[in-house]
Amino acid sequence: MLAAYVQYWKINLLTIAEYRADFFMWFAFTIVYHGTALAALAVTMLRFPSMNGWSLREMFFLYALWMTAHELHNALFFNVVSVPEYIREGRFDRFFVRPFDTLFQVLTVPSRTFPDGFILGLVTLAIATHVAGIHVTPFTVLTIAAVLCGGAGIDLGISLFVAALSFWLIRVDTLRWIVMSLEQDFTRYPISIYTRGVRIVLAYVLPFAFMNYFPATYFLGKHDAAFGLSPEVGLLTPLIGLLWTALSYAFWNLGLRHYQGTGS
Amino acid sequence: MPFAARAAGASAAKNACVPLIVTRDLRKVFRNAKRFPGALGALRGLFSPVYEDRVAVAGLSMEIERGEFIGYIGPNGAGKSTTIKMLTGILVPSAGEVEVAGIVPHRKRRENARNIGVVFGQRTQLYWDLPLVDSFELLRAIYGIPQDRYRRSLDAFIELLEMGDFLRTPVRQLSLGQRMRGDFAAAMLHEPPILYLDEPTIGLDVVAKEAIRTFVARVNREQGTTIILTTHDLADVERLCRRIVLIDHGRAIFDGPIERIKNEYGRERTLVVRFTETTSAPTIPGARLESVEGMTARFVFDRATQRVDRLVREVSDRYSVEDIAIEEPELEGIIRHIYTQGYAGEERSA
Ligand SMILES: Nc1ncnc2c1ncn2[C@@H]1O[C@H](COP(=O)(O)OP(=O)(O)OP(=O)(O)O)[C@@H](O)[C@H]1O
Ligand SMILES: [Mg+2]
């Protein structure tokens, strides 16, 4: 399995070399995308110097934390978004006739993926950590790494859940779109600014708040104004990522038994 | 490459006398929830689904021995692809049993996958954006094929399937015939003891078809690979298969050697007579005139009740004859007859 994974990355790199223009366009897009989001954040914060007790520097860190986890997910698990299409078109068949786990095979469909966004995220996060004045110890580095993995796990768990739904439903695009916009819109600000309903959703239903809000309160030593939880709750992120991934994977396996393919 | 080395795992070796592939009352019913549009509709479908059932395979029992080459045929929608998908572990049967080399495919999908190679003519298993060699490299890693064995088989495939010219072209730029050859190589790189071919010659020209026929015939003969071939080209079947399984509406209506189906239906023979002059409405007692075209007439007779020598004498006594030929029915004609009239083998042979 490792050999196959290595081969997959080898092929990815080779194809990127072939499609250089495409790659640079994507990279430019990633920079513009996150740059715009951060600029919008800065403009907002010029008008409100503090948002529910969060300064611009702290919000920068909040965003960088989400961005890096999300880009880690994109680098490793991006192919999951193609699953509904594979299923609808019957192209999923092939994953059944090869001697590996179907999900593993989905993740290793050569796709010109490169962890450029993740590297950009790491740089941004390093800057943001510095700007936010977080005292960095080896332990901080370790916990940040764990939180990033957990965040990517939450992302994976949720996208895998939506993908697995398509074993039963032909179209899940709308649902996927809703989930994606929720994630993009509601991870930019501290969740304490939202109404109670939204907060509950972000903490307990689609736990995007664990990708950045809760861990950020921990690293920044802030009081959680949303639920009044202790900052250490932020350290639960890896656990929640694992839980979501595990549950979605079980759901996925259930879906496999339901796979009907297409008629031709 | 001795056959023993490629045998289908320990469980198969243990039951050497058990058929390689067994199905018993195998059924597949597709149950599709009626779909409602949109996200809300999807939710509604989730909570109060309305189902439509469609029986694709309706109780199929068959046994296939190691090394056989089966022609699995039937009209469109008969359930051929569905059967293959159950044998490969893609679909979970609705009822009945299936075992391939001692493994229940949908239970031990990954183990089963090591024993099988699959070619779906309609849909490539190759990666669209990659050149063939890259797909092959990936498969080498997936199946853990040792480097030297990989090189050896790949070289053999390149030669047999004449793939040298397009190995480095991205799959999406390949012609259908080229792509199909790539698919064959991809399905066989790990030297599986069982090969499923679902319409592998669809849309190919005569040359490509011949290349592929020669190739699979050789694989079956030299490596003892068990092959199940689904096709609408009965020339493929006639050329390659010893046994055919004919299914219709999800049920096997004939299972046996090609000669038998020919014998059962081959009771009808055609006597083709070429006269020396134009003859309108010729008749021979005991034969039915099928057509007259110019100076050539075709008579159909029942081999079991009429003697050929008498018919020949009869016609040459009555008319001035230039040439006489007797045509055996082709598989194609027989199958067409069965598709349209239904199979009546049981009554006939009783
Ligand atoms: N995924 C599916 N969902 C619903 N019905 C299906 C599905 N796949 C096949 N069927 C139905 O099952 C029946 C058998 O289909 P199948 O594809 O096995 O036929 P086939 O013998 O391979 O036909 P063909 O020669 O046209 O390929 C058909 O009535 C088809 O409509
Ligand atoms: Mg078919």
Side-chain angles (χ1 to χ4, degrees):
Chain A
M1 205 139 123
L2 191 66
Y5 202 63
V6 169
Q7 188 66 34
Y8 157 73
W9 276 107
K10 215 165 101 189
I11 287 174
N12 263 355
L13 296 190
L14 282 175
T15 23
I16 285 170
E18 240 168 275
Y19 297 84
R20 224 168 283 138
D22 179 73
F23 169 72
F24 282 117
M25 237 149 71
W26 256 114
F27 189 52
F29 173 76
T30 313
I31 293 177
V32 170
Y33 176 86
H34 292 298
T36 327
L38 284 170
L41 209 61
V43 171
T44 316
M45 292 309 284
L46 284 180
R47 289 202 284 145
F48 314 89
S50 152
M51 189 173 275
N52 242 338
W54 289 62
S55 68
L56 174 59
R57 287 157 183 250
E58 290 166 336
M59 303 243 310
F60 181 31
F61 179 74
L62 184 74
Y63 185 84
L65 209 52
W66 171 77
M67 167 187 174
T68 315
H70 184 65
E71 289 292 352
L72 178 60
H73 161 268
N74 284 358
L76 298 178
F77 312 127
F78 193 71
N79 279 347
V80 171
V81 303
S82 311
V83 166
E85 188 188 320
Y86 292 154
I87 292 178
R88 197 166 55 239
E89 295 175 3
R91 278 192 288 154
F92 201 87
D93 284 8
R94 72 161 67 141
F95 303 124
F96 282 95
V97 300
R98 291 191 184 146
F100 275 148
D101 180 72
T102 46
L103 179 58
F104 176 81
Q105 292 185 72
V106 167
L107 297 179
T108 52
V109 172
S111 53
R112 283 181 250 159
T113 318
F114 190 75
D116 54 324
F118 178 57
I119 293 168
L120 190 71
L122 283 179
V123 173
T124 314
L125 184 59
I127 298 171
T129 310
H130 180 74
V131 168
I134 294 169
H135 176 64
V136 180
T137 63
F139 180 72
T140 324
V141 174
L142 270 181
T143 40
I144 287 187
V147 161
L148 290 179
C149 293
I154 291 171
D155 250 355
L156 170 65
I158 291 171
S159 60
L160 191 59
F161 182 82
V162 175
L165 267 181
S166 56
F167 284 112
W168 289 272
L169 311 170
I170 293 186
R171 296 265 171 199
V172 293
D173 312 58
T174 320
L175 188 62
R176 190 170 72 205
W177 185 82
I178 291 173
V179 170
M180 265 167 56
S181 345
L182 271 179
E183 172 170 5
Q184 276 166 14
D185 294 348
F186 290 96
T187 47
R188 303 224 163 141
Y189 304 104
I191 63 165
S192 46
I193 68 166
Y194 301 114
T195 59
R196 189 165 173 78
V198 175
R199 276 185 253 161
I200 288 176
V201 169
L202 293 175
Y204 300 116
V205 185
L206 299 169
F208 293 126
F210 279 93
M211 287 180 76
N212 63 351
Y213 174 76
F214 288 119
T217 57
Y218 170 78
F219 292 118
L220 297 168
K222 292 188 76 72
H223 167 69
D224 159 36
F227 295 98
L229 298 172
S230 109
E232 275 75 29
V233 165
L235 294 177
L236 288 178
T237 299
L239 210 70
I240 291 175
L242 206 65
L243 193 72
W244 255 91
T245 305
L247 287 178
S248 294
Y249 182 65
F251 184 53
W252 168 272
N253 278 326
L254 199 69
L256 289 180
R257 296 186 55 81
H258 241 266
Y259 179 65
Q260 299 212 334
T262 54
S264 63
Chain B
M1 288 171 269
F3 177 63
R6 58 180 60 242
S11 46
K14 201 173 57 201
N15 314 323
C17 49
V18 174
L20 188 61
I21 299 174
V22 182
T23 74
R24 244 174 262 117
D25 302 316
L26 193 61
R27 272 176 77 79
K28 180 68 192 180
V29 181
F30 287 105
R31 159 158 289 204
N32 283 313
K34 247 180 99 97
R35 320 263 174 185
F36 305 97
L40 279 180
L43 280 180
R44 188 170 129 210
L46 256 187
F47 294 116
S48 61
V50 181
Y51 291 114
E52 292 171 320
D53 282 0
R54 172 174 283 155
V55 181
V57 174
L60 183 76
S61 302
M62 61 178 177
E63 296 187 349
I64 293 168
E65 303 290 338
R66 217 168 282 270
E68 282 199 273
F69 200 139
I70 307 280
Y72 193 49
I73 57 183
N76 289 135
K80 303 180 296 294
S81 299
T82 306
T83 312
I84 298 216
K85 286 179 187 169
M86 288 192 280
L87 293 174
T88 49
I90 294 172
L91 294 178
V92 179
S94 311
E97 289 165 44
V98 52
E99 227 178 73
V100 177
I103 295 168
V104 178
H106 55 276
R107 295 237 175 81
K108 295 194 170 170
R109 189 185 58 73
R110 275 174 279 177
E111 251 180 75
N112 184 58
R114 292 211 166 266
N115 291 335
I116 64 170
V118 189
V119 177
F120 289 113
Q122 316 260 22
R123 187 175 293 122
T124 183
Q125 312 279 307
L126 302 164
Y127 296 104
W128 212 231
D129 284 329
L130 300 186
L132 282 179
V133 270
D134 285 357
S135 277
F136 295 155
E137 276 291 329
L138 211 52
L139 289 170
R140 183 185 68 75
I142 286 179
Y143 289 99
I145 308 169
Q147 197 58 254
D148 56 329
R149 220 179 76 195
Y150 168 74
R151 278 259 49 106
R152 214 170 44 223
S153 348
L154 189 59
D155 287 345
F157 289 142
I158 291 174
E159 198 196 311
L160 283 172
L161 294 167
E162 295 169 25
M163 297 192 301
D165 293 340
F166 49 85
L167 266 183
R168 292 181 189 283
T169 318
V171 168
R172 86 184 111 72
Q173 292 172 20
L174 296 182
S175 79
L176 183 62
Q178 294 171 332
R179 199 211 76 199
M180 206 76 96
R181 291 178 220 201
D183 259 306
F184 265 89
M188 304 210 47
L189 219 45
H190 58 294
E191 304 179 344
I194 303 170
L195 196 54
Y196 300 106
L197 309 174
D198 193 349
E199 302 193 40
T201 54
I202 189 168
L204 298 190
D205 69 30
V206 281
V207 179
K209 237 180 212 184
E210 197 47 41
I212 283 186
R213 281 178 189 161
T214 311
F215 177 69
V216 290
R218 184 161 160 173
V219 165
N220 172 253
R221 195 177 55 238
E222 291 179 3
Q223 299 176 8
T225 306
T226 309
I227 303 181
I228 299 189
L229 166 71
T230 284
T231 181
H232 290 293
D233 184 343
L234 293 167
D236 284 348
V237 176
E238 207 148 23
R239 160 83 194 277
L240 296 168
C241 309
R242 289 177 286 280
R243 170 179 164 198
I244 58 179
V245 175
L246 181 61
I247 76 162
D248 197 5
H249 298 294
R251 240 179 275 273
I253 54 175
F254 175 87
D255 180 351
I258 292 194
E259 294 81 56
R260 205 176 94 207
I261 202 167
K262 278 192 164 174
N263 276 337
E264 284 174 7
Y265 278 83
R267 284 175 53 169
E268 301 220 313
R269 290 280 187 278
T270 308
L271 188 71
V272 186
V273 183
R274 196 176 153 79
F275 305 107
T276 52
E277 61 206 5
T278 313
T279 313
S280 63
T283 52
I284 315 174
R288 171 170 57 79
L289 179 66
E290 193 186 58
S291 66
V292 190
E293 246 173 73
M295 290 185 285
T296 306
R298 301 171 62 85
F299 298 91
V300 178
F301 65 95
D302 187 336
R303 189 191 50 156
T305 57
Q306 306 297 325
R307 289 182 57 103
V308 180
D309 54 352
R310 185 189 61 77
L311 292 173
V312 170
R313 213 166 42 241
E314 200 86 55
V315 72
S316 41
D317 284 352
R318 292 170 177 228
Y319 306 99
S320 162
V321 173
E322 185 182 288
D323 190 21
I324 291 184
I326 293 166
E327 282 180 0
E328 296 213 337
E330 287 205 34
L331 187 58
E332 173 129 15
I334 294 176
I335 299 298
R336 193 182 330 116
H337 181 86
I338 296 178
Y339 286 179
T340 50
Q341 313 286 315
Y343 178 71
E346 248 71 308
E347 297 101 86
R348 275 172 185 250
S349 50

